[in-house]
Amino acid sequence: MPHAMLAAHRLYYEETGRKDGPVLVLLNGLTMSTAAWSLMLPALEARYRLIRLDFVGQGQSDKPEAPFYPLDRQAADLAALLDWRGIGRCHMAGLSYGGLVAQHFARDFGQRLKRLLLAATFARSGAVNAALGTAWQAVQTAGGAALRQQVSLPWFFSDTFLTEQAVRLPELARVAAEVDWPACLRLMEGAGRHDARSWLGQVRCPVRVVVGSADRLTPPYEAEALVTALPDAHLEIVPGAGHALHLEAPAALARAIIEHCTD
């Protein structure tokens, strides 16, 4: 799959699905890559011209040295990628960190959005997020990726997933070990500066906000705050699901995207 050369760095992307379909852009969570959407692809590729990308700092994209990766810069890179692919307006779904970038895209390039879905994300990064980042860094220093993954499990997954899908945990630990941790810290630092409360009212496209009822990392009250701040938004709660909706409830998340993102 190709890289797009944008300014001084390369951005990895994948374009699949119906060439004549409406464009849907999927935006990764913090430690995700384009591969993380695999459980949802059959449903989405049958309907959309699907664009997935690794942000700067993720997956197969460049990871330049920097104090942090700004969210508005990630949104501008996405706009440049769409320009390069000749895409004007599109639907968009952002999960967790991808939902933060999507908010900045909606503010800065709102005329290009048809419909937006925000999943397992928030309007403001506060003291809890900062404390979690500090804790994850301490765990990484003490025990590396294996300990970090172990400590992260209750934040990312529900009781049901950890009970019924325990067989999947070794593979998830392998994926976690492949994350470039210094780059991830730069992503986290950028996310930690997010506060969209003063400008979410400027977003004009219809928005669906989706969250798992058992999400401990971005609890339902965070989703409710987004819906309150956005002019045209409604909330969907996925019963029993945790934060990693793309793994715990891929069918429910794909259904929500398809229901919302229609031309």
Side-chain angles (χ1 to χ4, degrees), residues 102-170:
Q103 291 171 53
H104 282 262
F105 189 92
R107 181 192 65 183
D108 297 338
F109 307 97
Q111 73 281 3
R112 304 186 68 160
L113 279 177
K114 296 178 181 178
R115 289 175 177 266
L116 173 63
L117 185 138
L118 300 173
T121 193
F122 51 79
R124 178 186 73 95
S125 182
V128 170
N129 302 86
L132 280 171
T134 300
W136 280 328
Q137 173 58 20
V139 169
Q140 175 76 21
T141 301
L147 183 58
R148 170 170 52 83
Q149 172 69 1
Q150 182 179 356
V151 170
S152 298
L153 289 176
W155 289 100
F156 287 108
F157 300 106
S158 68
D159 182 87
T160 299
F161 184 89
L162 293 177
T163 301
E164 298 179 359
Q165 301 291 328
V167 68
R168 299 171 65 183
L169 296 181

Side-chain angles (χ1 to χ4, degrees), residues 61-110:
S61 290
D62 283 351
K63 302 170 181 65
E65 292 288 339
F68 66 98
Y69 300 139
L71 293 168
D72 59 350
R73 183 65 256 173
Q74 304 278 38
D77 284 349
L78 172 55
L81 174 63
L82 295 178
D83 288 342
W84 189 69
R85 295 302 301 141
I87 296 168
R89 301 185 69 220
C90 62
H91 301 299
M92 187 172 292
L95 174 64
S96 193
Y97 178 88
L100 307 184
V101 178
Q103 291 171 53
H104 282 262
F105 189 92
R107 181 192 65 183
D108 297 338
F109 307 97

Side-chain angles (χ1 to χ4, degrees), residues 176-254:
E178 295 177 351
V179 171
D180 185 313
W181 186 247
C184 190
L185 288 177
R186 299 178 197 123
L187 291 165
M188 289 167 58
E189 180 65 26
R193 298 164 184 256
H194 180 66
D195 187 349
R197 293 174 298 173
S198 65
W199 47 261
L200 280 176
Q202 302 171 22
V203 175
R204 289 292 173 258
C205 69
V207 183
R208 179 176 294 196
V209 180
V210 181
V211 68
S213 66
D215 188 337
R216 298 180 180 89
L217 190 60
T218 54
Y221 69 79
E222 298 277 19
E224 292 166 0
L226 277 167
V227 171
T228 299
L230 289 160
D232 183 5
H234 65 278
L235 176 65
E236 177 176 339
I237 297 178
V238 182
H243 183 71
L245 289 171
H246 65 300
L247 297 176
E248 286 209 30
L253 183 55

